[in-house]
Structures are given as structure tokens and as C-alpha cells.
Amino acid sequence: SVANKKPTLTAILHWEEDVDVAECPEVVTASQGETVEEALVNLKEATELYLEDYPMFEASPRLITTFEVTNA
């Protein structure tokens, strides 16, 4: 059933100071961990807890790309 379909969300990962940080742009949740795997597990848990209180409407697909800047 469509109502029971689990959404596939995006995780953006980066290194910040001494931890890996994982962010979900669709839900605007974030978490961290000592490893990428731990950051992802923590992000999933944080996102699931958030969605219990604030259910997600169907999100449109995201296009993620990169770009270059001249003065960095």
C-alpha cells in the first residue's frame, strides 16, 4: 500500500572538527558520530523520532549536484 511506503531520504555527510556529521535536508534533521556509519545510524534514529511528532508529507524528488566557485 502507498500509505505504508517508507520514504527514501537523503543523507549529506561531512567532517566537522572531530566528528562525522550527517544531515537530512528533506526533514532538516542532523546528527553526528565517531564514524560515518555511526553518524548515519544516529541520523536515522533522530529522523524517525522527529517524524513521530511531525509526519512528513510526500516530498518531491531532490536533485543534488555540485558546482565550482572561482574565489575560494
Side-chain angles (χ1 to χ4, degrees), residues 26-62:
E26 293 93 348
V27 183
V28 195
T29 50
S31 195
Q32 63 186 32
E34 297 293 322
T35 64
V36 168
E37 293 80 9
E38 183 181 356
L40 285 171
V41 167
N42 293 341
L43 178 64
K44 181 180 178 189
E45 181 180 356
T47 301
E48 288 173 343
L49 289 171
Y50 178 86
L51 291 173
E52 285 179 9
D53 290 333
Y54 304 99
M56 188 174 146
F57 294 99
E58 191 167 325
S60 61
R62 304 279 177 164

Side-chain angles (χ1 to χ4, degrees), residues 15-29:
W15 180 254
E16 191 171 293
E17 297 183 19
D18 292 334
V19 295
D20 286 295
V21 176
E23 302 175 39
C24 176
E26 293 93 348
V27 183
V28 195
T29 50

